[in-house]
Amino acid sequence: MKRLIFSLLLALPTWVTAQLIYPQTKKGETVDNYHGTQVADPYRWLEDDWSEDTKQWVTEQNKVTFGYLDKISYRAQWLKRLEEINNYPKYSSPSKKNEYYYFSKNDGLQNQSVHYRQKGITGKPELVLDPNKFSEDGTTGLGTFSLSKNGKYAVVGKTKGGSDWRNYYVMDMQTLKYLPDSLLWVKVSGAAWQGDGFFYSRYPAPEKGKELSTKNENHQVYYHKAGTQQSEDRLVYEDPANPQRFHIVFTDETEQYVFLNISDRGKGKDGNALWYYDSQSGDKTFKPIIKEAGDYNYSFITETQGRFLILTNDGALNSRIVSIDPKNPDPGNWQTVIAEKPENISSASSAGGKLFITYLKDVTSRVYVYDLKGKFEREVRLPALGTASGFGGLRSDKEVFYTFTSITFPPTIYRYNIATGISTVFRKPEVKFNPEDFITEQVFFTSKDGTKVPMFITYKKGTQRNGKNPTILYGYGGFNISSNPSFSPSRITWLEQGGIFCIANLRGGSEYGEKWHEAGMRLKKQNVFDDFIAAGEYLIEKKYTSKDFLAIQGGSNGGLLVGAVINQRPELFKVAIPQVGVMDMLRFHKFTIGWNWIAEYGSSDNPEDFKNLYSYSPLHNIRPGINYPATIVTTADHDDRVVPAHSFKYAATLQEHYKGNNPVLIRIDVNSGHGASNLKKALETTADIYSFTFYNMGLTPKFGAPKSGEKKAF
């Protein structure tokens, strides 16, 4: 490999690969001993995201990446089409608070959605707050908006640059002016009102300059009175002896009951404990409903006749609803209200004295209405196979709102009459494409161990199965999260170009309940990779595409998925798009709230877990001599969930070892986080990904003809 001197980066040499010049990242001599196994970590210095060396490295990597992307002639046209198809009004489902209905709206291309309210369902909208004015570049967003029970106040939580940190402020809802309150270092928190104050969770202030990488420990709950300083807040709960626990307080609809949710995922426990107190009793000491966090989840739905209705997977892998007497909470005294079914419960809510239970049947929603004693009343008839969400409300409500969507069915808001069971369209988006031009089919493919795995495949009508269709295969497969079919206007631009988009419902998610989740976590994580590989093989076998036109994409845990799979089967894919991925499986628990993932992955501190993690860790399984796909890694400087060091170290290692002709680029966004901090950044990233993918498949979209003789930028 030809070496040059790159004086701009620490006077170190560079590699030249197919005329792409990568900055060679300096190598340290760090070696860790994991249970007798020596593991080198030469790029450990990139974990210091604020060092001058790291900043220079980011600058030089972006120079290479954007230099490459700038030479793709149709990149600007793709961005223009993305802007065109996203430019239509988008509404949230309304929520009622006393005489007002609150909702958000994006006129089309606003960086942030704007909050409104109106008196009555047909009243004139009144501006409440415009997050586009939070910052000049539109990268400060609204992370929390929580109204007090009487509607007098609202907590406004702002997030800067996509960070998970929140700053909380209090707004007077009569004047729509802010009170002097300013609460810092809020994270993994709601805002649970009780009277003229609210409960929230925060961490102690991190070390200056390490705010986005320091491990977050000692999650504390405070009560804040509206109109006071944060220094006056009352500490409600903390547990410094167990610093890697989450503590979140919430109240019921009446604000009589105060609940404390405790999870202990830092110790590998996937469930939660649940404590409470009755604020009318005079005793504000939390008492256990579920004393210890273990392997099961317990979610409060509502209170009825002094008993709590709880959604749990305790004794029911697909979940059930039980009634618990809080004064006698022993499991032997529980009453089953809605028993477990073959389908998994994906959500449960209450409104109008009814229970709304959403089940997943082959990854599509089925919604049923029950009374509070568990008697079935009716099914909510949905317009098609897809995903429904919403249905929450107050006991006094006569109606609820819900949103229905699917891959080519734009989110449509429905108004549901609780008494009659009739749904009517409340708001239907006016999108700039014809959904009837596209087809979505669901298939089931066979994984390595014989497991049947579902997958959604969407394409334009008339598409031929000739093995030549550009195809993106998306996956996640973890954390009990289901990859439900949902709409993305940006994705339509891919489909318009003859592209196929596929969502594989891998093990590790919640598609088929806890059993499906457990089959893809910890020591069984390889099942997720096998599922994804089998999905790619299926698409090739059935001639939807071929290895020369197949790209794989995933973010966060899905970024880990992409990184692991191209190590194991690099020849199967033409393009790889690992986004904000967990790439260093030996050190993920040492940053911010990464310890929270031990319940899902295990920990390298444990010998058995280490052996498993080391076997698939994307960073540690990059091999010289392998022809890796064209790869574009994406991350951002304000990602304090999966810190960018994961992607930094991974890209540096891949650039070091890969000697082939495919580009290996890292795109590092600024003032953005685990997700794009505004719409403009989201569209720019998507345009770059789609252009990079088409370009490396040797294709040209219809809206951008290449320059004469142009085939490759480099």
Side-chain angles (χ1 to χ4, degrees):
M1 184 64 63
K2 186 179 179 181
R3 294 185 179 275
L4 301 172
I5 299 298
F6 201 179
S7 60
L8 292 177
L9 184 63
L10 309 176
L12 291 175
T14 62
W15 285 291
V16 178
T17 304
Q19 299 180 20
L20 258 183
I21 302 175
Y22 301 119
Q24 180 180 355
T25 312
K26 69 176 181 178
K27 299 181 70 172
E29 299 180 355
T30 301
V31 177
D32 295 312
N33 186 323
Y34 291 94
H35 317 288
T37 299
Q38 304 294 313
V39 179
D41 193 2
Y43 301 127
R44 177 76 58 86
W45 62 273
L46 284 169
E47 293 178 356
D48 186 354
D49 52 344
W50 288 101
S51 75
E52 290 304 316
D53 285 354
T54 301
K55 290 178 181 178
Q56 182 68 15
W57 184 88
V58 167
T59 298
E60 296 303 333
Q61 289 287 348
N62 271 342
K63 185 183 298 183
V64 172
T65 297
F66 287 102
Y68 181 96
L69 295 171
D70 286 344
K71 294 184 180 180
I72 300 177
S73 60
Y74 47 77
R75 175 175 167 237
Q77 286 106 319
W78 209 313
L79 177 59
K80 180 181 178 182
R81 179 56 184 150
L82 282 164
E83 291 171 343
E84 291 171 349
I85 206 161
N86 276 274
N87 192 11
Y88 66 91
K90 307 170 192 69
Y91 291 85
S92 73
S93 186
S95 61
K96 187 179 180 183
K97 181 66 69 172
N98 301 322
E99 61 182 343
Y100 285 106
Y101 287 84
Y102 288 83
F103 64 95
S104 63
K105 177 189 177 185
N106 190 308
D107 288 339
L109 294 178
Q110 291 175 287
N111 275 319
Q112 310 290 343
S113 294
V114 180
H115 250 55
Y116 297 91
R117 69 181 179 186
Q118 62 189 47
K119 288 187 178 181
I121 202 66
T122 60
K124 182 180 179 181
E126 174 190 10
L127 175 67
V128 174
L129 58 88
D130 184 357
N132 295 287
K133 298 180 179 179
F134 288 174
S135 61
E136 289 186 5
D137 61 358
T139 60
T140 298
L142 180 66
T144 305
F145 184 79
S146 177
L147 287 155
S148 61
K149 184 173 184 290
N150 57 16
K152 185 178 178 181
Y153 300 112
V155 173
V156 176
K158 298 181 181 181
T159 171
K160 186 177 181 180
S163 168
D164 281 344
W165 289 114
R166 302 285 187 268
N167 290 349
Y168 275 7
Y169 305 92
V170 177
M171 177 180 281
D172 184 321
M173 298 309 295
Q174 291 181 318
T175 64
L176 299 183
K177 302 293 185 182
Y178 287 105
L179 301 180
D181 314 47
S182 177
L183 313 184
L184 306 180
W185 309 118
V186 181
K187 184 182 278 194
V188 191
S189 176
W193 283 94
Q194 189 179 54
D196 286 342
F198 59 91
F199 300 94
Y200 71 99
S201 303
R202 59 160 292 181
Y203 285 102
E207 179 186 350
K208 188 174 178 58
K210 301 290 185 181
E211 295 89 348
L212 300 179
S213 59
T214 298
K215 182 187 289 188
N216 302 139
E217 294 186 317
N218 192 18
H219 204 219
Q220 304 164 316
V221 179
Y222 285 87
Y223 180 81
H224 176 81
K225 189 79 170 178
T228 65
Q229 299 298 313
Q230 187 173 23
S231 59
E232 301 174 48
D233 291 353
R234 172 170 59 89
L235 179 64
V236 173
Y237 188 86
E238 69 173 339
D239 185 4
N242 293 284
Q244 293 181 353
R245 287 182 174 178
F246 288 136
H247 305 119
I248 301 173
V249 164
F250 61 94
T251 54
D252 76 320
E253 177 184 331
T254 67
E255 298 184 357
Q256 176 181 347
Y257 298 103
V258 180
F259 296 88
L260 171 66
N261 188 89
I262 303 172
S263 63
D264 203 4
R265 295 176 60 84
K267 293 185 178 179
K269 298 176 180 179
D270 201 35
N272 66 289
L274 190 63
W275 295 57
Y276 89 106
Y277 69 77
D278 183 345
S279 61
Q280 293 183 358
S281 69
D283 181 3
K284 294 185 178 180
T285 303
F286 285 108
K287 304 171 185 63
I289 302 169
I290 305 299
K291 188 173 183 179
E292 296 291 341
D295 296 326
Y296 301 111
N297 293 294
Y298 308 89
S299 299
F300 174 81
I301 303 172
T302 190
E303 175 271 337
T304 177
Q305 297 180 335
R307 299 179 69 91
F308 299 154
L309 297 188
I310 303 290
L311 173 66
T312 182
N313 59 356
D314 187 348
L317 291 178
N318 287 336
S319 297
R320 60 177 174 150
I321 294 175
V322 298
S323 173
I324 299 177
D325 179 358
K327 297 179 181 178
N328 194 8
D330 186 89
N333 298 315
W334 294 2
Q335 298 173 4
T336 297
V337 174
I338 298 178
E340 180 183 19
K341 291 185 177 183
E343 294 80 26
N344 180 43
I345 295 178
S346 64
S347 67
S349 58
S350 177
K354 308 294 181 183
L355 295 173
F356 292 83
I357 313 301
T358 302
Y359 291 88
L360 280 185
K361 183 175 178 60
D362 290 333
V363 209
T364 58
S365 298
R366 304 292 190 279
V367 183
Y368 303 103
V369 183
Y370 299 81
D371 69 16
L372 295 182
K373 294 182 179 180
K375 180 183 177 182
F376 172 78
E377 294 190 351
R378 60 170 61 97
E379 180 178 359
V380 178
R381 297 295 180 181
L382 302 176
L385 294 179
T387 303
S389 59
F391 300 102
L394 302 177
R395 194 166 305 177
S396 59
D397 285 346
K398 305 298 182 184
E399 63 185 7
V400 293
F401 294 88
Y402 66 92
T403 300
F404 179 84
T405 183
S406 193
I407 295 175
T408 56
F409 195 111
T412 301
I413 302 169
Y414 291 84
R415 187 180 181 186
Y416 179 82
N417 186 298
I418 297 174
T420 66
I422 296 175
S423 295
T424 55
V425 173
F426 179 66
R427 283 195 175 116
K428 182 178 181 179
E430 297 179 2
V431 293
K432 299 180 179 180
F433 80 103
N434 182 10
E436 300 301 321
D437 291 343
F438 304 95
I439 295 173
T440 296
E441 56 180 310
Q442 187 181 41
V443 301
F444 292 82
F445 61 88
T446 303
S447 191
K448 183 177 181 181
D449 63 357
T451 299
K452 295 291 185 182
V453 181
M455 175 166 58
F456 293 97
I457 304 175
T458 303
Y459 50 87
K460 194 173 184 179
K461 286 182 179 178
T463 298
Q464 301 297 313
R465 291 197 206 172
N466 55 15
K468 297 180 180 179
N469 301 304
T471 300
I472 292 178
L473 172 60
Y474 172 86
Y476 186 79
F479 290 89
N480 207 26
I481 295 172
S482 177
S483 297
N484 296 345
S486 60
F487 178 75
S488 164
S490 297
R491 193 182 298 145
I492 298 300
T493 69
W494 176 263
L495 300 173
E496 287 175 337
Q497 298 301 326
I500 296 177
F501 191 86
C502 309
I503 300 174
N505 296 105
L506 315 172
R507 282 175 283 185
S510 63
E511 284 86 345
Y512 295 102
E514 185 58 27
K515 184 178 180 181
W516 194 254
H517 174 215
E518 291 176 352
M521 62 186 293
R522 301 198 71 144
L523 299 180
K524 298 179 181 179
K525 188 67 176 177
Q526 182 60 40
N527 285 336
V528 184
F529 311 140
D530 291 341
D531 290 354
F532 205 47
I533 290 168
E537 291 174 333
Y538 176 91
L539 293 169
I540 293 171
E541 176 191 353
K542 299 299 182 181
K543 297 190 181 301
Y544 287 96
T545 191
S546 66
K547 64 180 181 179
D548 292 327
F549 298 100
L550 179 58
I552 50 174
Q553 180 181 22
S556 196
N557 175 71
L560 154 65
L561 168 70
V562 171
V565 163
I566 64 171
N567 282 332
Q568 296 180 14
R569 291 292 302 277
E571 82 290 349
L572 195 60
F573 314 105
K574 184 64 175 178
V575 177
I577 311 157
Q579 299 183 263
V580 292
V582 187
M583 311 308 255
D584 184 345
M585 298 308 297
L586 304 185
R587 288 177 58 79
F588 67 82
H589 56 301
K590 298 184 180 295
F591 306 99
T592 63
I593 59 169
W595 47 262
N596 172 52
W597 313 330
I598 291 174
E600 184 76 13
Y601 299 137
S603 168
S604 60
D605 295 336
N606 175 286
E608 186 179 23
D609 286 340
F610 162 73
K611 183 178 179 181
N612 180 54
L613 294 167
Y614 194 41
S615 72
Y616 70 77
S617 175
L619 174 65
H620 299 96
N621 286 275
I622 295 171
R623 295 167 291 162
I626 298 299
N627 188 32
Y628 280 94
T631 302
I632 183 165
V633 182
T634 70
T635 187
D637 62 350
H638 276 61
D639 189 347
D640 52 354
R641 193 176 311 172
V642 180
V643 294
H646 283 277
S647 294
F648 291 176
K649 292 164 64 176
Y650 173 78
T653 305
L654 193 55
Q655 288 177 353
E656 174 192 356
H657 290 299
Y658 176 58
K659 310 299 183 184
N661 293 327
N662 291 325
V664 176
L665 305 176
I666 180 168
R667 184 188 189 280
I668 306 157
D669 208 349
V670 296
N671 287 327
S672 211
H674 199 58
S677 58
N678 64 29
L679 179 60
K680 181 176 183 291
K681 288 181 175 292
L683 297 184
E684 289 173 346
T685 301
T686 301
D688 288 351
I689 288 172
Y690 286 170
S691 298
F692 177 89
T693 302
F694 247 61
Y695 186 74
N696 281 282
M697 291 178 178
L699 302 173
T700 302
K702 63 182 180 181
F703 45 69
K707 297 175 182 178
S708 177
E710 180 190 21
K711 290 185 178 180
K712 289 285 185 180
F714 291 92

